[in-house]
Amino acid sequence: MALEKQDAEDLLNSLPTPILVVDPNDRLTFANPAAEALLQTSAAQLRQTSLDELFGFGSAVAGLIRHSRTEVMPMAEFEVHISTPRMHPDRISIATAPVFKGGAPDPGGDVIVQLTPISIAQRIDQQMRRQGAARSAAGMVSVLAHEVRNPLAGIRGAAQIIESAVEGDEKALSRLIADEVDRIGNLIERIDVFAEVGPAPRSPVNVHEALDRAYRVLESSGAFAGLNVIDQYDPSLPPVRGDFEGLVQIFLNLLKNAADAAREGGKEVRLRTGYRQGIRLASERRSDAGMLPVEVAIQDNGPGIPEDLQRNVFDPFVTTKSNGHGLGLAVVAKIIGDHGGAVEFESEPRNTIFTVHLPLYAETETVR
Ligand SMILES: Nc1ncnc2c1ncn2[C@@H]1O[C@H](COP(=O)(O)OP(=O)(O)O)[C@@H](O)[C@H]1O
Ligand SMILES: [Mg+2]
């Protein structure tokens, strides 16, 4: 079936994927509405712009387009960094191809460009890879923790025996040994959340109750003093499948980070819950990989996550805080992983959102 010229333009305009056409002089001759939205620039403005003006001199995007033109072949690159004067820097996938003329690719002619923003699903996938890294480091830590725990019990027992056998100052010293051993034991307990995955937690949990619990714990320690906390809960949200304590821990860690950030500027934290169809997690690990329709978003208008940190925030011991341990987000990734859920974030100055995606609790579910 042959399409009329007008039809072809209508078709391109109705595509949800951003499309550009670039002429042989590196000028943009066409941009569909999805491209206008992505690049935050109107088609009319884009038409007065050259590739180098738009994407910066020597950008990967421009390189790929020129390659397609001179080699007369389609090109693709995944996760290219783009930034333009108007849009926020982002990673996208890009595909380019020489435009046909008279039924065949036109050497040295126009090039059509498809820009695909990295989708939520892909971001989540990347997140899973990061969790993989966190998990292997975590595995090491938990083995170590185990190895340390046994001798500790021995030391503590010995200290108690000594304590009952000695007098005065020496009693205090053996007390000190026992106390310090307890302190190490507590530290190990904290690290132990990383221990390898058990069965996925399966109780029905009301996320609002878990959020409120986390909120109250932090509020009582003054974490929100001077901050404006706004909640936008969807009251009709059905229960999720999970573990109450685990979810409280996740929300505690995310809320604490949001409060820390908001205190540095902006002073506002938003909690949002909602139901979103169509988010599914593809994962090789889980046989029951399913839909994750419940969303909990924790947003702050603080300074944002430094760009060079964004790839690693979920790794253990990554911190920018003088008193931080860098374990908060690693724990979040671990617990979310156990839930078969996902967490992703986007961050720029004055707007950081961590979004947790969780599975529904199904009434008919049998507890195994
Ligand atoms: N909402 C946020 N805004 C800005 N930076 C954040 C935010 N959440 C996390 N971060 C960054 O990620 C780092 C790691 O966070 P986390 O794992 O919770 O450890 P910690 O809070 O102990 O530093 C923080 O030190 C901070 O730099
Ligand atoms: Mg933290």
Side-chain angles (χ1 to χ4, degrees):
M1 180 184 78
L3 294 167
E4 299 290 328
K5 192 165 185 297
Q6 180 60 42
D7 285 340
E9 185 158 343
D10 279 347
L11 277 178
L12 288 181
N13 279 331
S14 52
L15 272 182
T17 312
I19 301 285
L20 303 172
V21 175
V22 180
D23 78 5
N25 301 316
D26 282 351
R27 295 253 144 210
L28 295 163
T29 53
F30 175 81
N32 72 353
E36 292 178 291
L38 176 75
L39 301 171
Q40 302 273 299
T41 312
S42 72
Q45 283 168 313
L46 285 170
R47 273 196 296 274
Q48 321 206 342
T49 315
S50 75
L51 275 187
D52 287 336
E53 282 163 353
L54 183 61
F55 295 112
F57 185 75
S59 69
V61 180
L64 211 66
I65 292 169
R66 292 185 187 122
H67 211 83
S68 243
R69 182 191 302 135
T70 52
E71 304 298 317
V72 201
M73 60 190 245
M75 304 286 302
E77 196 166 331
F78 299 101
E79 289 200 33
V80 185
H81 206 87
I82 65 164
S83 69
T84 73
R86 281 164 177 259
M87 74 179 281
H88 291 290
D90 204 353
R91 279 167 299 133
I92 57 163
S93 295
I94 162 171
T96 60
V99 173
F100 279 36
K101 204 168 188 175
D106 179 24
D110 290 349
V111 173
I112 188 161
V113 182
Q114 175 189 319
L115 305 167
T116 316
I118 308 254
S119 68
I120 289 182
Q122 281 166 303
R123 274 182 221 219
I124 290 173
D125 260 12
Q126 289 164 6
Q127 206 47 69
M128 294 301 284
R129 260 179 267 146
R130 278 195 278 261
Q131 281 181 29
R135 217 177 273 127
S136 57
M140 225 167 67
V141 170
S142 65
V143 168
L144 193 65
H146 248 90
E147 293 308 308
V148 172
R149 190 176 279 142
N150 287 332
L152 274 187
I155 297 172
R156 199 184 191 290
Q160 272 174 334
I161 293 170
I162 296 175
E163 191 180 340
S164 61
V166 295
E167 296 293 324
D169 282 358
E170 282 159 354
K171 237 185 171 54
L173 279 178
S174 55
R175 203 44 301 190
L176 183 72
I177 295 174
D179 285 350
E180 288 297 283
V181 165
D182 285 346
R183 205 163 63 82
I184 298 172
N186 283 335
L187 259 174
I188 290 178
E189 205 87 333
R190 293 235 307 269
I191 288 172
D192 220 35
V193 296
F194 289 118
E196 280 312 312
V197 275
R202 288 179 172 280
S203 319
V205 179
N206 177 331
V207 279
H208 298 141
E209 282 174 17
L211 266 173
D212 284 341
R213 167 74 66 83
Y215 177 81
R216 266 181 282 124
V217 169
L218 285 173
E219 195 189 25
S220 66
S221 69
F224 296 114
L227 300 183
N228 188 15
V229 183
I230 301 164
D231 52 41
Q232 295 168 282
Y233 289 175
D234 172 353
S236 68
L237 210 60
V240 299
R241 179 176 70 210
D243 161 50
F244 183 77
E245 295 302 329
L247 291 172
V248 170
Q249 186 69 55
I250 289 172
F251 298 144
L252 254 173
N253 296 3
L254 293 178
L255 276 171
K256 171 88 167 45
N257 285 348
D260 287 347
R263 233 178 292 114
E264 281 182 44
K267 311 279 184 208
E268 195 175 284
V269 174
R270 275 175 197 271
L271 317 181
R272 211 172 35 242
T273 64
Y275 191 88
R276 167 130 65 147
Q277 212 85 35
I279 303 248
R280 177 192 278 274
L281 184 65
S283 160
E284 69 295 347
R285 255 189 66 245
R286 282 162 40 77
S287 50
D288 58 342
M291 306 298 289
L292 303 175
V294 175
E295 272 187 4
V296 180
I298 293 170
Q299 178 176 18
D300 69 74
N301 58 1
I305 304 176
E307 225 182 297
D308 56 350
L309 206 71
Q310 293 207 1
R311 277 187 175 273
N312 303 317
V313 276
F314 284 94
D315 291 347
F317 312 120
V318 169
T319 182
T320 55
K321 300 171 191 171
S322 54
N323 59 347
H325 297 290
L327 285 175
L329 290 177
V331 167
V332 168
K334 167 68 171 73
I335 301 176
I336 287 279
D338 289 352
H339 275 75
V343 56
E344 39 126 11
F345 70 91
E346 47 194 291
S347 181
E348 62 199 34
R350 303 194 63 79
N351 185 29
T352 297
I353 311 177
F354 278 82
T355 308
V356 173
H357 304 270
L358 291 164
L360 271 192
Y361 177 80
E363 299 266 337
T364 52
E365 204 157 10
T366 45
V367 180
R368 269 172 282 176

